[in-house]
Structure formats: structure tokens, C-alpha cells
Amino acid sequence: MNEALLRSLTPGVLAILVRRGADFAAAEDAVQDALVEAVRVWPADPPRDAKGWLVTVAWRRFLDATRSDAARRRREDRDVEEPGSGPAPAVDDTLQLYFLCAHPSLTPASAVALTLRAVGGLTTRQIADAYLVPEATMGQRISRAKRTVSGVRFDRPGDVATVLRVLYLVFNEGYSGDVDLSAEAIRLTRQLAAQVDHPEVAGLLALMLLHHARRATRTTPDGSLVPLAEQDRGRWDTASIAEGVGILQAALARDRLGEFQAQAAIAALHADAPTAGETDWVQIVEWYDELTRLTDSPVVRLNRAVAVGEADGPRAGLAALAALDDSLPRHTAVAAYLHERDGDLATAARLYAEAARRAPNLAERDHLTRQAARLNARRSR
């Protein structure tokens, strides 16, 4: 069974059901039922038109659920007749569905969470980690969003800012390697850039391209993480870097700075450095100052502390770090790195081991454990 194919078809099928009058929650349930049926049936009897098959089965499941619920009989009377089993229209509905999920009746945070869960294919845990909240809290938020849009016609699309936030989080989750969605996020952002004249759309596309350009060097063949300073820059995708820088420069020239443009500028400075030692950390700190002004994000402040440590020395970085909540994800790992830079190997080793225990995934845990072991070995010589 090709799970990647099913995942790629899901948004389009969901969009078709929503356009035909299904409320979002009911449509999502029907599509999930159709996917389960596909897993059962397709290995022995694959359809010629996979999307058309899913649309037909999902629509039938939706109608069955509607008929079984007396409270929805009025909706059933208004529904159009069941479509035939012919080919589904060759239309990419995914970006449209992102806009529809960013419904005006939802807060931006709820719209993002709902879209990531229903369209992006992320788990509640992954979304919660992205928002730095407990999984139970995010589960409640998604459930409330579904209740809010239940019975609402999706005929008023949401705003560009919410869609950008969703695309950014989908890209980041794909880029981490947990879910391979980064290329899809780039594709959709390209579509959006072709449709919407907005500097932040361009900023996000540039940011994605610049990060994606070094994806092949972020891990070893066995999945181990490779820090930025140790990556083989000769293997970075220079065409993607050039495209990203060009898009960014055009966006910055419009003098309407936003957070994605600022992040892309930081990524461009990393990409422009021939070696890690030649990175312009002073200018990176300046861009982090702009980004802090725009977002006041604790994660941005954490990354700024690293940049300050590189530009002004590890003790300056530790001073910047001291102003932040030590419960912030990766705070301990940053502290370990800065203490190592400052020559305090005992403290650094202890903090690396502590950070490993808190790591959000296996690859990061193994990397931090190796860092602790490396420093302990140096100390024992």
C-alpha cells in the first residue's frame, strides 16, 4: 500500500466533500473511513483512478452517516445526488483547502491547528510540540475548532497570514524528518506566491528554499544529526540557494519587513558563508534583533542567544540565555554548547546529558548523548 499516495490525495478528496456541502468534521471522518477501506481493498484490487475512488467511497460514507443522524435530515434533503464513479477532476485542491480551513469563525491558532491535523497529516503530539503546549491542551483546541466549524459552510476563505503559518509549520515538521512534507509545503508556497502578491509569501518561499538546500547534509546515512558547522557545504544545493536569495532580495526591496523575510535573511547569511568560521554572526544578531521586535518569540530569543555567543563570546551568550525560561525546549542544549565554548567541560557534559533526556526525538537524543560522551572522554584523558 502506497501511504504517500494516500496522504497526497487526502486534501483534494476532503476539499471536494466540503465543496459539496459536507461540514468539515463529517467530511474528515468520511475521508478517514475511505482511507481505511483503501488500505483494505487496494492491495488486491487497485483502482484505475485512485482519487475518484476515494471521492466516491468517502461521499457514500458521508451520506450514510447523514442518513443515520436525524438531526441532519434537512441537510440531506439539500444534498446533491451522489456523484458517479467516473474520474475526479484533475484539480489540485490542497491550497484551496488550506484557505478554507483558515475560516473566519476560528481564531488563527485554532485554524492552524485544525489544518495541520486534518490537511497536513500531523499528529496532535507533533502540533503540540510546535506550539510548545501539552498534547492534551492541543487536543482540546482541535476538538473545539471542529465543533466551531461543524455545520458551517466553508464559503469564506481565511487570510493569507494564517495559511502562511500553517505552511511554515508543515515544512518544519517535514524538514525534521518525522513526516516527509517539506517538498509539498514548498510546492504549495510556490502556488501561493504565483497567486498572491505579498512580500511575506515571498519571504516564506525563500526561507523554505534556503533551508531545503542543505537538507541532504543535515544527517548521516544512519540518521545521525550533523550540526550546521560540520555540514559539507559543497553538497548544498546552490541552485536553490540562488533562487531563495533572489526571491528574498526582491521581497526586502519592497520595505515591508515581516518575520519570514527576517528568518530568510538569517538563513541566507548562513548559506553565503564559505565556511562556518566565516559566518557573519554580527549581522545575524542584528537580524535576530529585528525578528525579536516582530515576534517577541521565546524560541527566537533562544536562537539569538546562540548568535550572541558566536558574535560576542560564549559568556555574552550565557548572559542572554540567563534571561530566558530554562524550561524552554532546547534551552539546556544551548546552555551546554555555550559552556563548552567557554571551556567548562564538566558543566557542558552534564547539561548535554540532561538535554538528551529531554530531547523531543531519537535523533536529537542520540546526538546530545554523543556530545556528552565526547566531553567526558576529553576530561578523562
Side-chain angles (χ1 to χ4, degrees):
M1 170 56 59
N2 191 331
E3 294 183 6
L5 173 63
L6 287 176
R7 187 164 59 238
S8 68
L9 293 175
T10 297
V13 176
L14 186 57
I16 290 172
L17 265 65
V18 169
R19 286 205 307 269
R20 286 176 175 159
D23 69 59
F24 192 91
E28 185 187 13
D29 288 343
V31 171
Q32 292 303 315
D33 286 345
L35 293 176
V36 171
E37 185 68 6
V39 171
R40 186 182 70 84
V41 172
W42 285 11
D45 185 20
R48 285 178 294 180
D49 175 20
K51 184 176 181 181
W53 188 98
L54 287 171
V55 169
T56 299
V57 173
W59 188 252
R60 286 173 178 163
R61 294 301 172 92
F62 166 69
L63 291 181
D64 288 344
T66 300
R67 294 187 183 104
S68 67
D69 188 347
R72 297 182 181 179
R73 288 193 180 278
R74 290 184 180 179
R75 173 188 294 277
E76 183 183 7
D77 293 339
R78 295 194 302 269
D79 283 335
V80 297
E81 294 181 357
E82 178 183 338
S85 58
V91 177
D92 186 346
D93 301 290
T94 308
L95 188 58
Q96 180 191 19
L97 190 57
Y98 272 65
F99 273 97
L100 292 177
C101 287
H103 197 274
S105 65
L106 295 172
T107 65
S110 294
V112 170
L114 177 64
T115 313
L116 289 172
R117 182 72 185 91
V119 188
L122 275 62
T123 66
T124 302
R125 177 62 177 273
Q126 289 168 328
I127 303 169
D129 289 345
Y131 271 89
L132 308 181
V133 300
E135 183 176 0
T137 300
M138 183 54 65
Q140 293 171 357
R141 182 180 299 176
I142 294 172
S143 295
R144 285 197 300 271
K146 289 182 178 181
R147 288 196 298 271
T148 299
V149 299
S150 180
V152 173
R153 287 195 64 83
F154 281 64
D155 54 1
R156 293 184 298 155
D159 65 351
V160 172
T162 300
V163 173
L164 289 177
R165 178 62 51 194
V166 174
L167 289 169
Y168 178 56
L169 292 175
V170 170
F171 175 82
N172 279 342
E173 196 58 51
Y175 194 61
S176 74
D178 293 333
V179 182
D180 190 11
L181 294 170
S182 52
E184 173 69 358
I186 291 174
R187 184 184 71 83
L188 292 172
T189 307
R190 284 190 189 279
Q191 285 188 10
L192 187 58
Q195 299 174 19
V196 177
D197 183 23
H198 193 295
E200 273 294 82
V201 177
L204 178 59
L205 180 57
L207 176 62
M208 289 178 174
L209 290 169
L210 289 164
H211 279 315
H212 204 64
R214 60 184 182 87
R215 184 177 187 182
T217 66
R218 282 173 54 91
T219 58
T220 62
D222 66 1
S224 300
L225 294 181
V226 180
L228 176 61
E230 300 173 18
Q231 290 174 16
D232 180 358
R233 296 177 182 232
R235 294 177 56 211
W236 286 0
D237 184 346
T238 55
S240 291
I241 291 174
E243 181 184 7
V245 169
I247 292 171
L248 172 63
Q249 289 174 338
L252 291 175
R254 300 177 65 174
D255 198 24
R256 291 170 54 194
L257 183 65
E259 63 174 296
F260 293 122
Q261 294 170 72
Q263 288 189 60
I266 293 169
L269 286 167
H270 283 298
D272 187 54
T275 66
E278 296 174 85
T279 304
D280 189 345
W281 286 106
V282 172
Q283 194 173 168
I284 287 176
V285 171
E286 292 174 355
W287 276 112
Y288 271 121
D289 289 339
E290 290 286 351
L291 195 53
T292 300
R293 179 181 61 81
L294 289 166
T295 68
D296 196 29
S297 162
V299 174
V300 170
R301 292 182 181 276
L302 182 68
N303 291 332
R304 180 185 178 278
V306 176
V308 169
E310 298 290 353
D312 301 327
R315 294 194 179 182
L318 287 168
L321 187 66
L324 302 178
D325 186 346
D326 61 9
S327 67
L328 190 66
R330 298 187 173 88
H331 183 286
T332 307
V334 170
Y337 173 74
L338 291 172
H339 277 291
E340 180 184 356
R341 288 278 318 282
D342 195 38
D344 187 351
L345 301 189
T347 299
R350 175 178 58 80
L351 290 173
Y352 274 131
E354 182 181 337
R357 291 192 293 270
R358 300 180 182 181
N361 57 65
L362 181 61
E364 191 167 335
R365 186 195 71 187
D366 289 347
H367 171 72
L368 293 168
T369 300
R370 285 194 296 272
Q371 296 295 87
R374 175 178 57 82
L375 293 187
N376 285 327
R378 284 179 58 186
R379 294 173 56 225
S380 63
R381 290 172 187 169

